Amino acid sequence: MNNDKYKMHEIKKFLYNRVFQYDLKYANDNKDKSVEKSINDVIERISKMRTSSEIVDYVNLITGKGTISSIAFSEELKSKGIPRIEDVIDEFNTLFKIES
């Protein structure tokens, strides 16, 4: 496995272990199809990215200014008390800095 593929694997594992598994468990336990679909959409989008820098840029985009829908979704997750990428963004950025 080359270095970037390994880094992509580690990024995906971090996001799943720190955020997505809890969001999906919440969605399943509460039969919340909206959260389930949105999290699965994010996971699918990330899985289609070809480089670790694409994933890092995407994560920083949605946690920075975001889009209207990503901001609303983030607020929905926060109001339900379930983890968001924003909650782990500092650790994420420390672990997965992309060098230019």
Side-chain angles (χ1 to χ4, degrees), residues 2-100:
N2 75 30
N3 194 33
D4 196 58
K5 290 213 182 290
Y6 176 75
K7 192 170 203 173
M8 288 176 63
H9 170 75
E10 291 299 307
I11 290 170
K12 291 173 188 177
K13 185 169 80 172
F14 173 87
L15 291 171
Y16 184 80
N17 290 338
R18 296 295 307 278
V19 179
F20 300 149
Q21 73 173 335
Y22 300 106
D23 297 349
L24 291 171
K25 181 177 181 341
Y26 171 89
N28 185 54
D29 292 351
N30 294 281
K31 304 201 181 347
D32 191 327
K33 295 295 183 190
S34 172
V35 169
E36 180 181 19
K37 180 184 179 332
S38 295
I39 293 300
N40 282 325
D41 287 348
V42 171
I43 292 170
E44 181 179 348
R45 188 170 295 129
I46 288 173
S47 74
K48 292 178 179 177
M49 294 180 181
R50 297 166 104 46
T51 66
S52 59
S53 61
E54 282 183 78
I55 299 172
V56 170
D57 289 347
Y58 173 71
V59 166
N60 282 303
L61 172 72
I62 64 173
T63 60
K65 294 182 181 176
T67 63
I68 292 171
S69 61
S70 69
I71 292 168
F73 181 61
S74 177
E75 289 302 316
E76 177 185 356
L77 294 177
K78 184 176 182 178
S79 73
K80 293 177 179 182
I82 52 181
R84 307 168 304 149
I85 294 174
E86 291 89 332
D87 299 328
V88 298
I89 194 64
D90 291 337
E91 182 181 2
F92 177 89
N93 283 328
T94 299
L95 291 171
F96 302 113
K97 289 180 186 166
I98 299 297
E99 298 166 19
S100 308

